[in-house]
Amino acid sequence: MTQPPSQQPPQGGFGAPQEPPQGTPQPPQGQPPQAQPPLPPQAPQAPQSPPPAQPPAGPPQMPPGGQPGYGYPQTPPGGQPGYGYPQTPGQAPGQAPGQAPGPYAQQPGPYGGQAAGPYAQQPGPYGQQTQQGQGYPTQQYPGAPVPGGPAGSGGGGFLKGKPAVVAAAALAVVLAVGAGVWFTVSGDDDKKPVAEKSTGTKQPSGSPTVDEGDGNGDGRAVDDDLNAGRKKGEAKVLWLQQNGVDLPRNGADVYGPWIVGDTVVKAMYRTVSAYSAADGKEKWTLPLPADVCATPNTPTADGKMVIGVKNGTTDKADCSDLQMIDLNTGKAGWKKSITKNSTWDLMSDIGLAISGDTVTVGRTGNSNAYRVSDGKELFGKPSGNCQPFAFAGGPKLIAATSCRTDDIQNPQHQVQELDPTTGKAKWTYQPPRGWEVKKVYSVSPLIVSLTHEKKKQWSIVALKENGTLRSQLVSDKGDKLSTNCGHDFSIFGEKLEGCSGVAADANTFYIATEADTSGTGRTNKVVAFDLNTGRTKWKADAPAERILQPLRMEGGNVLLYMEAKYDKGGAIATLPPAGGTPTVVLQHPDSTTRIESSFFTSKIAYAGGRSFIMSGRVSASNDEEEKEQKTMMVFGK
């Protein structure tokens, strides 16, 4: 098996794939589809703990990654840094003596510090998850559960910076059917929003949610006129939703949003609910018998979705029940339990992906595929030494496989394109031994993230239509690339899709850099890579003191989210494929920036001229605060 040659590490931070050494074998032209090793990436530098936060001088500065309430200043929690920050390391493997270590970008993988990712070239009109305040993953074995919460816009943990409850006891909660309270805003700016109520939820009290120094309040009444301070040229707040659902002690993840026509759908805890994208009025809600535990990134072209639901309500329940739902109507279709293939099966979390009319179920050592339309099983665990464990869907079905070896610390992974009906591999790409498939940033063109846990290296490779190597991305010295792949607390399981912060067209890959904090405020840039050469084509700076995150491609341009900051609303913008200056297409109002910045691990979507900001998780320190958590905010013209 091909091994990466020993080589001296380059300058620059982890997360930026570096120049391969001279003499690295190149893929031959015209090679038939078969296993093909990538160019071996360079060894990264060791991470470095961030400096302690300093009090702001003059206007408040942006908080460091992973602090609560991104967009306005917060006091970072004291004591041990939360998950997502690097531990004090020794010298990186192969690091030259005296070489200064530098912080590395968030690497894709199963750690809680990951953030969702962006997929480029995904079907459907909506974007993917984005997470502000990126942290640094601690080095642990893949999928190791981690105390505390993910680094992100909502704080360093599930409970506002407090350690998360990792093992929840059996829950005795009253399910409030429906997914919350929202406020609709009429087209007349002189009128106040009208408070609406979904079935089983309480009406807002109208009392102010005052910020008392803990970062929980936004300083304004929940039913005031959200458009009162809107300036000319700024978008309107169309509606704002609050939670209103009694959740378990450690909160619940929010899945979605999925946009089907003029309907936006989300799943949380034990309900799936749909709302009018125009005014937020509930269209339907589907109660579930237990917790939602897995979802694909996208539904089928006709709006069908298959979600994972736990097979019980105790802490011993497995994520093993599949439920098909028509997102157009809210009607439940077929339901079945995943067949347990061995004693150790279903010991890991599952990952779901949809391609065409096929939904795949991946987990460690086993896999299944079902027809979305009727639930018929299409294929299961294949014979042979190599087994699929995770999938990415969309226009193609891509599988990550693991092959049995004599050394668990030195794995052998593969990437395959599968026939979604039969499961038969169309081609196989095999990276060198030790390199693990972590994420698929784009299915078409195919762009894959690989990591080497032992050497703490990261590589991004592009593959051709026949599965042979197209290029390995090589960043310029000093560029620290960053992706957002979610707060995935998978237990040995993997989910290939769901990253944000990246986009791709046929010949170019677009990715953001880490935030640069050397100036007066946080800022970054978007880097475009030529997929045929792996080299940088151009870089586009974000406006001063702003952060850009690619969402996807739209109309030939790169669609971006410009994050809100303490005195400026966020925005949806575009970049032409040749680079240049971002053009704002929807400017969020400055008057609601504190609300916009308060969403925990926010997910951004854009469709039909509207932008959607949704919390990725709902949690609070008490029941009353939990029911007042803002869960979705929608802007439009």
Side-chain angles (χ1 to χ4, degrees):
M1 207 68 69
T2 304
Q3 298 285 345
S6 176
Q7 53 194 256
Q8 192 71 8
Q11 301 294 320
F14 182 92
Q18 302 291 335
E19 177 74 41
Q22 293 184 357
T24 301
Q26 300 296 320
Q29 299 299 317
Q31 181 175 342
Q34 60 182 4
Q36 176 68 27
L39 303 178
Q42 300 282 335
Q45 295 186 49
Q48 180 175 334
S49 297
Q54 299 296 325
Q61 303 299 313
M62 292 301 97
Q67 298 304 318
Y70 171 77
Y72 53 93
Q74 296 291 335
T75 303
Q80 182 69 21
Y83 178 76
Y85 284 88
Q87 306 304 311
T88 304
Q91 184 171 308
Q95 183 176 354
Q99 183 176 340
Y104 55 85
Q106 200 157 351
Q107 58 174 314
Y111 308 113
Q114 297 170 316
Y119 260 47
Q121 297 299 96
Q122 285 305 312
Y126 47 92
Q128 286 73 37
Q129 180 175 358
T130 183
Q131 184 176 14
Q132 295 89 15
Q134 301 160 37
Y136 306 95
T138 49
Q139 299 301 323
Q140 302 202 30
Y141 62 89
V146 181
S153 60
F158 289 159
L159 303 178
K160 299 289 183 183
K162 299 169 185 165
V165 179
V166 177
L171 306 175
V173 296
V174 178
L175 171 63
V177 179
V181 179
W182 63 89
F183 308 100
T184 58
V185 183
S186 70
D188 185 349
D189 293 344
D190 294 329
K191 295 181 180 180
K192 291 186 176 182
V194 179
E196 301 286 354
K197 181 175 72 172
S198 59
T199 306
T201 60
K202 73 172 187 176
Q203 196 126 4
S205 65
S207 58
T209 57
V210 178
D211 188 347
E212 298 179 346
D214 58 1
N216 294 330
D218 55 43
R220 58 192 305 158
V222 296
D223 60 352
D224 69 349
D225 186 351
L226 297 174
N227 286 316
R230 187 171 67 94
K231 294 178 288 190
K232 184 178 180 180
E234 292 181 336
K236 296 177 183 178
V237 178
L238 300 182
W239 48 281
L240 173 66
Q241 184 186 69
Q242 284 183 265
N243 171 37
V245 178
D246 191 9
L247 298 173
R249 181 181 173 189
N250 60 333
D253 286 332
V254 185
Y255 299 88
W258 305 293
I259 299 176
V260 181
D262 197 41
T263 301
V264 56
V265 186
K266 72 174 185 179
M268 183 181 73
Y269 190 38
R270 296 177 185 174
T271 59
V272 182
S273 301
Y275 310 91
S276 166
D279 58 20
K281 291 183 179 179
E282 185 178 283
K283 289 192 171 184
W284 55 260
T285 188
L286 177 67
L288 299 169
D291 300 10
V292 179
C293 52
T295 64
N297 206 50
T298 57
T300 62
D302 60 351
K304 303 298 192 306
M305 174 65 75
V306 178
I307 65 172
V309 181
K310 289 192 174 182
N311 61 3
T313 57
T314 71
D315 58 345
K316 295 182 179 179
D318 293 323
C319 187
S320 62
D321 288 350
L322 301 180
Q323 176 67 67
M324 193 273 272
I325 303 170
D326 187 335
L327 299 185
N328 298 287
T329 64
K331 293 183 179 179
W334 56 267
K335 179 180 179 180
K336 62 175 51 185
S337 296
I338 300 168
T339 303
K340 194 170 183 178
N341 292 329
S342 68
T343 303
W344 300 103
D345 195 12
L346 296 176
M347 292 295 289
S348 71
D349 292 338
I350 66 171
L352 302 179
I354 287 178
S355 180
D357 195 30
T358 298
V359 59
T360 54
V361 186
R363 66 262 191 211
T364 302
N366 284 289
S367 61
N368 300 84
Y370 303 88
R371 196 155 55 203
V372 175
S373 53
D374 60 11
K376 178 184 177 181
E377 184 166 5
L378 297 174
F379 56 90
K381 180 179 179 179
S383 60
N385 189 48
C386 301
Q387 298 292 326
F389 63 88
F391 301 88
K396 297 179 181 179
L397 180 59
I398 302 299
T401 69
S402 180
C403 302
R404 188 179 295 111
T405 67
D406 56 358
D407 183 0
I408 194 172
Q409 300 299 323
N410 190 22
Q412 178 63 72
H413 280 197
Q414 296 176 339
V415 179
Q416 295 179 323
E417 181 185 352
L418 304 185
D419 183 309
T421 302
T422 66
K424 183 178 180 180
K426 296 182 178 181
W427 50 256
T428 297
Y429 167 81
Q430 184 165 290
R433 185 86 178 263
W435 287 91
E436 300 178 74
V437 180
K438 287 300 179 183
K439 295 292 176 181
V440 170
Y441 293 150
S442 170
V443 168
S444 182
L446 183 54
I447 303 170
V448 181
S449 168
L450 305 171
T451 62
H452 198 299
E453 300 295 337
K454 186 177 291 186
K455 296 182 178 180
K456 297 178 176 58
Q457 295 174 340
W458 173 32
S459 177
I460 301 174
V461 296
L463 302 181
K464 297 177 182 178
E465 290 291 318
N466 63 3
T468 57
L469 184 67
R470 183 177 181 183
S471 68
Q472 179 198 25
L473 303 193
V474 180
S475 67
D476 293 343
K477 182 178 179 181
D479 284 349
K480 300 173 184 177
L481 309 182
S482 176
T483 60
N484 301 324
C485 296
H487 55 286
D488 235 353
F489 290 109
S490 296
I491 308 302
F492 301 110
E494 293 284 350
K495 183 178 179 181
L496 289 187
E497 60 183 23
C499 290
S500 66
V502 299
D505 57 30
N507 294 302
T508 310
F509 177 62
Y510 309 91
I511 185 170
T513 64
E514 279 186 3
D516 181 357
T517 59
S518 60
T520 57
R522 300 171 70 244
T523 189
N524 74 338
K525 63 185 69 173
V526 174
V527 182
F529 287 92
D530 188 321
L531 291 178
N532 294 314
T533 65
R535 304 286 177 169
T536 299
K537 294 175 71 173
W538 51 259
K539 303 174 192 178
D541 292 330
E545 301 183 7
R546 304 305 296 270
I547 297 292
L548 293 176
Q549 290 288 338
L551 297 177
R552 57 178 171 81
M553 302 301 296
E554 177 163 288
N557 295 321
V558 187
L559 189 70
L560 307 163
Y561 174 57
M562 188 184 302
E563 297 176 3
K565 64 172 195 168
Y566 71 95
D567 63 347
K568 188 70 176 176
I572 300 297
T574 60
L575 264 176
T581 302
T583 299
V584 173
V585 296
L586 191 68
Q587 176 63 59
H588 301 167
D590 295 344
S591 57
T592 57
T593 183
R594 294 193 62 161
I595 300 177
E596 181 179 355
S597 302
S598 67
F599 290 91
F600 185 85
T601 60
S602 59
K603 301 180 180 182
I604 311 299
Y606 180 75
R610 305 182 187 99
S611 59
F612 303 79
I613 301 180
M614 188 183 81
S615 286
R617 186 172 181 85
V618 176
S619 179
S621 56
N622 58 69
D623 289 344
E624 288 305 312
E625 181 186 331
E626 176 182 83
K627 292 182 180 181
E628 293 177 355
Q629 292 295 302
K630 297 168 181 63
T631 56
M632 193 181 304
M633 194 174 194
V634 182
F635 301 91
K637 294 183 178 179

